[in-house]
Amino acid sequence: MTEQSRDELIAEIVNLEAILNLPKGTEHFVSDLHGEFEAFDHILRNGSGSIKEKVRMIFAKELSDDEIASLCFLIYYPEEKLIRLKQKQLLTFDFSKRTIQQLLDLVRFCSCKYTRSKVRKALPKNYAYILEELIYPYDQNADKQDYYEQIIDKIISLREAEVFITSLCYLIQRLVIDHLHVIGDIYDRGPEPDKIMDKLIAYHSVDIQFGNHDIIWLGAFCGSKACLANVLRICARYGNLDLLEESYGINLTGLRKFSRKYYKDNLQFQPKKNPYRHLTEEEKIDSMLIQQAITIIQQKLEGQIILRRPDFAMTDRLLLDKIDGNSLILDSTAYSLVNSCFQTVDPHSPFSLSEEEDALISELMSQFQHSERLAKHMSFLMKKGSLYHVYNQNLLIHGCIPLNTDGSFQKVSFKGQSYSGKKLLDYFDHAITAAFTNRFRQVEELTDIIWYLWCGEGSSLFGKKAMKTFERYFCSESELHVEEKNAYYYLREQKETCMKLLEEFDINPVIGCIINGHTPIKLKKGETPIKAEGKMLVIDGGFSKSYQKVTGIGGYTLIYNSYGMHLAAHKPFTEKNSAIANNDDIVSSRQIIDRRNNRIKVLDTSIGARLKLEAYQLQQYLSKMADTTLIQKQE
């Protein structure tokens, strides 16, 4: 090896060892976004309140509260705010210069715990050289002061102030969040999961844990017709059919015609009130009829899976064959059926699709699998997603690890092989990957497992004994609607249970904790997101407007920086333009969960473990190289 390569090796070892002693980057955790793009986008733009916190730290003595709010919203929404300033003729030379200097102060403050190399990679290419000069003015009080002043003055005189300010604002947003964790449920209920996916694809550092509502979209894309039926039904139920048609290019004309041919107005199938836009009467009728048509198709397709997969142990969910006239016969008890729409069900073969139904669902499946935008989103979901993730001694999981009532791991058997705990989740993860790889072959053995993840008793995503879709639509008895939760959901209140779960995933239970989504925390009823003495953090606080009446807030964000963990509770996000006009932020409060006396360094993190190994391997190589050189000299 040459002297130059030896020098490069030494420089890299020094660099790695130095990085290990920097403070850890800030992690942000969000969960259960459910298509609420504007609220999610705002959380990323304001760093869950971190940007305002830093602005106050730097400018508390210089700026009033209103001025701090104005500067913050300029950072969050630079293009929109600059347009408003221009309209009011406030975008003057002095304003631009003062604002650029303030933003540079913030960039320096936000970037101080990163290497210059990492900051350089984050800089916008068109201003990278200029920004690097302005961010690191070590001698700004000496000979170079006029040099720095001239750079800023010239940017403004060349009418580049707006572009430069915008670049600085997005750089601040980028530096405040080092890594983002999405703990599941990007899809369903809200109107814009596609925009959330676009945002995540463009994001600098992110991982995703699959949610139950993500898995049916992924299952549908992999070829599960039962999952596709669920996707279609939920979109109709929440008045979001335009997501399929306009965002993903799925033509629903055939489904509309079929539903109008065989079904009729049924008031109990009206879509839920859409808080985002007013549905026309025609759209309401479409949603009503499509729900009926696709619900029956769903019940038939799910029945077929249950019959061909006895190992799923779900025969109690076969209900179409238990219809007798206007009654549902369960355990010799007759329950009156309401909202009946079983006209396409053949009593002699209740789980068989008609020729029209089969052709319809096959055509929709073809469209779903060949949508370019959906393929891009599902491919990214697979690339960044998994059922669970161990990161910095924390276990990130959307749903649950199935448990028995005595706290032991629930065993689930597939084709004679039993799985539980971590092995069960690894089995599911492997099946998802295999189904995605073979998606155009539509291998039922694989796609059936994805459907099971949506509604099976042993699913880590569902976490209940049975999904009562049929009963909720067709039975008025409330006792039939109850979905019994897995024991995990009350045992997770106990510290001992959480310690056991952490050990199952090879996490130090003294240091680590479990970060969960899936079940909305009902703050109004006194529930708390912090459980088991801080070993369990449940951060589904109600991003979805459907949940906010119950939760009382507009979502949680967990922030984990070098000083420890704290939880941000957000008030409901109203509307983007209104928020910008009124500088109306949505962070309501913060709660410290874990405050460290000594700052956490990179060497204490998952990334640090990789860097330490890399540094060790380089040092071993360097030693071998030195030994080889010594032998050669002796010879």
Side-chain angles (χ1 to χ4, degrees):
M1 184 168 284
T2 65
E3 189 65 25
Q4 181 182 6
S5 59
R6 177 179 177 278
D7 290 344
E8 290 173 350
L9 192 61
I10 291 171
E12 183 61 16
I13 293 170
V14 171
N15 179 53
L16 291 173
E17 294 285 356
I19 290 173
L20 290 171
N21 289 280
L22 287 170
K24 77 174 285 294
T26 299
E27 299 169 64
H28 271 54
F29 302 78
V30 295
S31 177
D32 296 84
L33 302 172
H34 284 300
E36 299 284 351
F37 171 72
E38 286 195 351
F40 169 66
D41 185 48
H42 186 76
I43 291 299
L44 288 192
R45 288 172 181 269
N46 76 358
S48 293
S50 297
I51 288 177
K52 182 170 282 187
E53 184 179 61
K54 295 179 189 304
V55 170
R56 282 202 178 110
M57 289 174 69
I58 298 174
F59 301 113
K61 295 181 180 179
E62 300 175 33
L63 303 177
S64 66
D65 287 345
D66 287 345
E67 289 171 329
I68 286 173
S70 293
L71 179 57
C72 286
F73 264 82
L74 174 64
I75 296 169
Y76 307 160
Y77 300 100
E79 293 95 344
E80 293 89 340
K81 276 294 186 181
L82 288 169
I83 288 172
R84 290 169 183 265
L85 288 166
K86 281 182 74 174
Q87 290 172 344
K88 296 178 181 179
Q89 298 184 330
L90 296 175
L91 197 59
T92 62
F93 183 95
D94 288 341
F95 173 87
S96 298
K97 185 168 185 177
R98 181 173 66 254
T99 300
I100 289 172
Q101 289 170 337
Q102 289 170 340
L103 294 174
L104 285 169
D105 286 342
L106 275 165
V107 169
R108 293 184 195 110
F109 185 69
C110 295
S111 64
C112 62
K113 67 179 180 180
Y114 300 124
T115 63
R116 287 186 67 162
S117 174
K118 185 166 185 172
V119 174
R120 187 181 301 119
K121 290 174 184 177
L123 298 177
K125 291 182 180 179
N126 52 334
Y127 291 118
Y129 173 76
I130 293 173
L131 276 171
E132 192 163 6
E133 287 287 291
L134 293 171
I135 292 170
Y136 302 106
Y138 295 115
D139 49 359
Q140 62 180 336
N141 296 320
D143 296 336
K144 279 191 174 181
Q145 184 60 36
D146 290 343
Y147 167 73
Y148 297 125
E149 292 274 350
Q150 180 60 31
I151 291 175
I152 296 172
D153 289 353
K154 198 62 181 176
I155 287 170
I156 299 170
S157 66
L158 289 172
R159 298 182 179 180
E160 283 290 297
E162 292 175 62
V163 179
F164 194 69
I165 287 171
T166 300
S167 297
L168 285 171
C169 291
Y170 282 118
L171 178 58
I172 292 166
Q173 291 182 31
R174 162 68 178 81
L175 294 171
V176 164
I177 301 177
D178 189 50
H179 186 77
L180 176 68
H181 306 282
V182 182
I183 319 288
D185 276 0
I186 295 166
Y187 279 87
D188 288 341
R189 294 195 173 89
E192 297 176 324
D194 57 314
K195 290 186 178 179
I196 293 176
M197 290 301 297
D198 287 338
K199 185 89 175 181
L200 293 176
I201 289 170
Y203 208 68
H204 57 273
S205 185
V206 63
D207 59 64
I208 301 168
Q209 289 70 63
F210 299 135
N212 53 316
H213 286 273
D214 306 318
I215 208 69
I216 50 168
W217 281 75
L218 195 54
F221 185 71
C222 289
S224 170
K225 292 177 180 178
C227 286
L228 176 58
N230 275 282
V231 166
L232 293 165
R233 179 182 59 79
I234 292 171
C235 283
R237 184 168 174 77
Y238 285 87
N240 287 330
L241 291 172
D242 56 330
L243 168 67
L244 293 167
E245 295 181 294
E246 296 174 17
S247 299
Y248 287 127
I250 310 298
N251 188 338
L252 299 180
T253 301
L255 181 56
R256 282 192 177 87
K257 287 181 178 179
F258 177 84
S259 66
R260 287 177 181 271
K261 179 178 179 181
Y262 289 102
Y263 296 90
K264 59 184 179 180
D265 291 0
N266 189 326
L267 296 179
Q268 296 303 317
F269 281 87
Q270 282 202 47
K272 288 181 176 289
K273 186 176 180 181
N274 191 317
Y276 314 96
R277 68 180 184 86
H278 177 73
L279 296 180
T280 65
E281 285 304 310
E282 190 76 7
E283 288 172 326
K284 288 180 182 178
I285 291 170
D286 273 342
S287 294
M288 192 187 305
L289 300 180
I290 286 173
Q291 269 193 85
Q292 294 172 72
I294 208 65
T295 296
I296 299 304
I297 291 173
Q298 176 190 318
Q299 291 296 316
K300 291 180 178 181
L301 290 168
E302 291 181 342
Q304 292 174 19
I305 294 174
I306 294 167
L307 289 170
R308 69 172 171 257
R309 294 299 298 262
D311 52 341
F312 286 1
M314 294 177 68
T315 53
D316 60 318
R317 302 311 304 149
L318 295 173
L319 299 175
L320 290 180
D321 59 345
K322 296 175 178 63
I323 296 172
D324 184 5
N326 288 319
S327 298
L328 178 70
I329 311 300
L330 296 176
D331 298 325
S332 302
T333 302
Y335 296 92
S336 296
L337 290 168
V338 296
N339 318 325
S340 295
C341 56
F342 304 113
Q343 48 267 39
T344 64
V345 178
D346 180 354
H348 302 291
S349 184
F351 302 108
S352 297
L353 296 179
S354 69
E355 288 186 12
E356 284 181 89
E357 287 173 327
D358 187 53
L360 177 64
I361 200 71
S362 296
E363 189 266 336
L364 287 167
M365 174 61 73
S366 178
Q367 288 192 61
F368 212 78
Q369 290 192 303
H370 289 89
S371 165
E372 289 186 15
R373 189 160 185 240
L374 185 61
K376 179 181 178 182
H377 289 172
M378 294 298 104
S379 297
F380 182 79
L381 193 60
M382 279 300 303
K383 179 181 178 181
K384 295 292 184 178
S386 58
L387 277 179
Y388 71 90
H389 189 40
V390 176
Y391 195 91
N392 291 344
Q393 291 294 303
N394 295 313
L395 175 61
L396 285 53
I397 182 168
H398 177 75
C400 69
I401 297 100
L403 298 175
N404 297 312
T405 54
D406 63 359
S408 60
F409 291 110
Q410 180 180 341
K411 292 183 179 180
V412 185
S413 295
F414 299 110
K415 294 195 170 181
Q417 183 66 44
S418 181
Y419 305 91
S420 63
K422 181 178 182 294
K423 288 183 179 179
L424 176 63
L425 272 67
D426 288 338
Y427 172 81
F428 286 143
D429 246 338
H430 175 76
I432 294 167
T433 301
F436 185 81
T437 302
N438 295 279
R439 58 192 177 275
F440 291 111
R441 292 173 54 207
Q442 298 180 20
V443 181
E444 287 180 344
E445 182 177 340
L446 299 172
T447 57
D448 287 354
I449 291 290
I450 299 184
W451 173 82
Y452 181 88
L453 274 165
W454 165 244
C455 60
E457 181 181 356
S459 165
S460 60
L461 292 180
F462 180 48
K464 296 178 183 178
K465 190 170 181 62
M467 185 175 286
K468 301 295 186 72
T469 303
F470 183 98
E471 290 90 334
R472 289 173 184 268
Y473 272 123
F474 301 115
C475 300
S476 58
E477 291 85 353
S478 58
E479 66 269 20
L480 293 180
H481 300 175
V482 176
E483 297 178 342
E484 182 185 338
K485 290 184 179 180
N486 184 269
Y488 170 92
Y489 289 103
Y490 60 83
L491 292 175
R492 70 181 180 180
E493 304 277 348
Q494 302 172 6
K495 182 178 179 181
E496 295 76 15
T497 298
C498 293
M499 301 278 274
K500 175 183 175 180
L501 293 172
L502 290 166
E503 288 176 344
E504 172 71 4
F505 289 83
D506 299 319
I507 298 170
N508 184 339
V510 176
I511 299 172
C513 70
I514 301 167
I515 303 169
N516 230 167
H518 189 50
T519 50
I521 295 298
K522 299 170 184 176
L523 205 63
K524 282 185 174 182
K525 295 186 177 181
E527 291 185 12
T528 173
I530 305 171
K531 304 176 184 297
E533 298 179 36
K535 288 297 166 186
M536 171 69 67
L537 306 174
V538 184
I539 62 169
D540 179 4
F543 269 99
S544 173
K545 286 183 169 64
S546 304
Y547 288 142
Q548 288 172 4
K549 289 182 180 179
V550 177
T551 62
I553 59 171
Y556 287 115
T557 306
L558 182 66
I559 301 103
Y560 183 25
N561 58 27
S562 59
Y563 293 103
M565 283 185 175
H566 57 271
L567 197 67
H570 309 288
K571 65 183 182 182
F573 190 73
T574 52
E575 190 267 332
K576 175 182 171 180
N577 291 328
S578 174
I580 293 171
N582 301 310
N583 295 333
D584 186 16
D585 227 334
I586 66 172
V587 177
S588 302
S589 62
R590 287 195 178 196
Q591 181 177 358
I592 295 174
I593 297 172
D594 174 33
R595 182 72 178 182
R596 303 291 179 91
N597 293 325
N598 299 314
R599 293 184 77 179
I600 306 166
K601 295 184 178 180
V602 172
L603 61 89
D604 303 312
T605 68
S606 298
I607 292 173
R610 294 202 302 269
L611 295 181
K612 280 190 283 187
L613 178 61
E614 188 177 339
Y616 172 77
Q617 291 172 337
L618 290 175
Q619 288 186 61
Q620 292 292 103
Y621 188 68
L622 186 64
S623 297
K624 287 181 181 179
M625 188 171 65
D627 291 341
T628 302
T629 304
L630 180 61
I631 291 169
Q632 289 173 346
K633 286 182 178 180
Q634 289 174 345
E635 292 175 348

